[in-house]
Amino acid sequence: MNAVVATQEPQQPTQQMRRVPETAAEADYALQQRKAMAYSKSSLVPAAYQNNVPNVLIAMEIAARIGASDLMVMQNLYIVHGRPSWSATFLIATVNACGRFESMQFEVVGDDPTKDDYRVRAYAKHKSSGEVCRGAWITWAMVKGEGWNKKTGSKWLTMPEQMFMYRAATFWARAYAPEVAMGINTSDEVEDIQVNVVGAVRRAPLESLESRLLGNEQPQAELPPPADSDGVMLTVATVMERLQAAGDRDALDDAYELSRQLTVSDDDRKALFTAYEKRADELDA
C-alpha cells in the first residue's frame, strides 16, 4: 500500500518571520533609517531633505561627527550648484560652541569697506594655551584677484563689510578648526567659486572642433610666459622677491596680483600667499 504523504503549503512570511538585524551596526543603521524617514516627512526641514532619505542620512552623519543636532545641520547645510555648503553664520557659531576657543573676533583695518586699503581678519584666543590664533587677511586685492566680486548681483558690491567678515571667519576655521567645516565650503564661497569656474570656460570655434573630430587639428602655438607691464617675465621666484621687497601695502598688493597670472602648483601658491601674509604683518607692525 502506498503511503499518502501529506504536503504542506509554504507559509507566507509574516511580520514575526522577517529578518531582524544580526549585529549592533545593522541595528543602528536600521534605527538611523527610521529616523531619516521621519525627518524626510516633516515640513520643517528644508526642501533638499523633504522626501529624500539619502540626503537626510548624510546630514545626520555630519551632525554626529561635529557634535551638532540633526535638525541644526539640515537647516544650515545648503545645496548650492549641486554642492553641499554651510552658512557662514553656522560655521562661526560652531567654532564658538566647540569649547576650544573663546568667541571669534574680527580685526578691521580701514574705515570704508569699499576702499582698496580695507582688510579684515578673524582671530580667537585658544582657551588652554592662551595663544591668540589669527587668520589670514582678506583684502580687496584678494577679492578682485579671485574674481569674487565679478558676479552679477554679487554681495561683495552691496554688503562688502559683512562679506569680509564671513570670508575671514571661513579662512580662520580652515586653518585652526578644520574638523568643524569638514572640508565643506560656505554657501557664499560656492557662489564665488562657481563664477570662476563658469568664467574660465572657453568654447573653441566650430572649425577647431571639426578639425579635432577629423583628426586634422593643427598644433597650437605655444603661449608666451606671463609678464608684467614692463615686459619682465614672471616666475614664482620673481614674484616671491617682489612680495618680500614690497615697501608698502600698495606694492605688496600689486605683487600679489601678479601671482594670479602664474600657473603653479598648490604648494607654490601656498608659499606665495604665506609670503604675502608675512610681509603684510611686517608692514603693519
Side-chain angles (χ1 to χ4, degrees):
M1 179 180 294
N2 295 331
V4 178
V5 179
T7 60
Q8 185 176 3
E9 293 294 328
Q11 295 183 356
Q12 295 297 321
T14 63
Q15 184 70 25
Q16 291 77 16
M17 296 174 60
R18 289 177 183 170
R19 180 179 178 274
V20 296
E22 296 179 352
T23 66
E26 288 181 335
D28 182 65
Y29 183 69
L31 174 62
Q32 298 305 315
Q33 280 189 311
R34 290 197 295 272
K35 289 177 62 177
M37 181 65 72
Y39 279 132
S40 71
K41 298 300 182 183
S42 173
S43 61
L44 296 180
V45 300
Y49 303 98
Q50 294 179 10
N51 299 312
N52 195 327
V53 174
N55 277 9
V56 176
L57 283 170
I58 292 173
M60 290 170 61
E61 170 69 14
I62 294 174
R65 288 180 179 271
I66 67 175
S69 74
D70 299 335
L71 185 59
M72 183 182 296
V73 168
M74 283 186 280
Q75 289 176 333
N76 290 279
L77 187 64
Y78 301 100
I79 307 300
V80 182
H81 300 302
R83 300 179 60 179
S85 54
W86 294 120
S87 67
T89 51
F90 175 76
L91 196 61
I92 296 171
T94 306
V95 169
N96 290 343
C98 74
R100 291 166 50 198
F101 305 92
E102 295 183 0
S103 296
M104 185 183 295
Q105 305 292 327
F106 297 94
E107 182 179 352
V108 180
V109 175
D111 299 323
D112 187 347
T114 64
K115 299 297 185 181
D116 287 343
D117 61 349
Y118 188 84
R119 58 188 184 275
V120 177
R121 67 177 174 184
Y123 68 93
K125 187 176 181 180
H126 198 284
K127 289 185 177 180
S128 61
S129 67
E131 177 188 1
V132 177
C133 303
R134 294 182 173 85
W137 284 108
I138 306 300
T139 67
W140 271 115
M142 183 187 298
V143 173
K144 295 175 182 178
E146 294 291 343
W148 295 340
N149 62 329
K150 294 179 181 178
K151 175 189 172 184
T152 302
S154 170
K155 293 181 180 179
W156 286 97
L157 303 177
T158 57
M159 44 185 292
E161 185 176 8
Q162 196 70 33
M163 293 302 294
F164 268 102
M165 288 190 288
Y166 283 167
R167 194 56 50 87
T170 302
F171 275 41
W172 187 96
R174 295 267 185 274
Y176 295 104
E179 71 281 2
V180 171
M182 292 184 62
I184 300 175
N185 295 101
T186 57
S187 55
D188 54 279
E189 279 185 301
V190 176
E191 290 284 359
D192 292 339
I193 291 172
Q194 187 71 9
V195 174
N196 289 340
V197 171
V198 173
V201 174
R202 297 291 183 269
R203 290 175 173 78
L206 181 61
E207 294 80 2
S208 176
L209 176 60
E210 182 180 5
S211 298
R212 284 192 304 224
L213 292 174
L214 297 176
N216 299 326
E217 184 178 14
Q218 298 297 320
Q220 297 182 352
E222 185 176 351
L223 295 176
D228 63 10
S229 57
D230 296 327
V232 178
M233 186 174 64
L234 297 177
T235 65
V236 173
T238 57
V239 173
M240 184 71 75
E241 289 176 359
R242 296 191 185 196
L243 289 171
Q244 295 170 345
D248 53 40
R249 290 289 308 197
D250 289 339
L252 182 64
D253 290 343
D254 289 343
Y256 189 69
E257 187 72 21
L258 292 175
S259 71
R260 300 298 181 186
Q261 302 181 37
L262 300 176
T263 302
V264 297
S265 66
D266 290 342
D267 289 341
D268 285 339
R269 181 70 65 191
K270 182 178 180 180
L272 289 169
F273 183 71
T274 299
Y276 171 84
E277 286 294 299
K278 180 181 178 180
R279 186 57 182 157
D281 288 338
E282 292 173 350
L283 291 173
D284 294 339

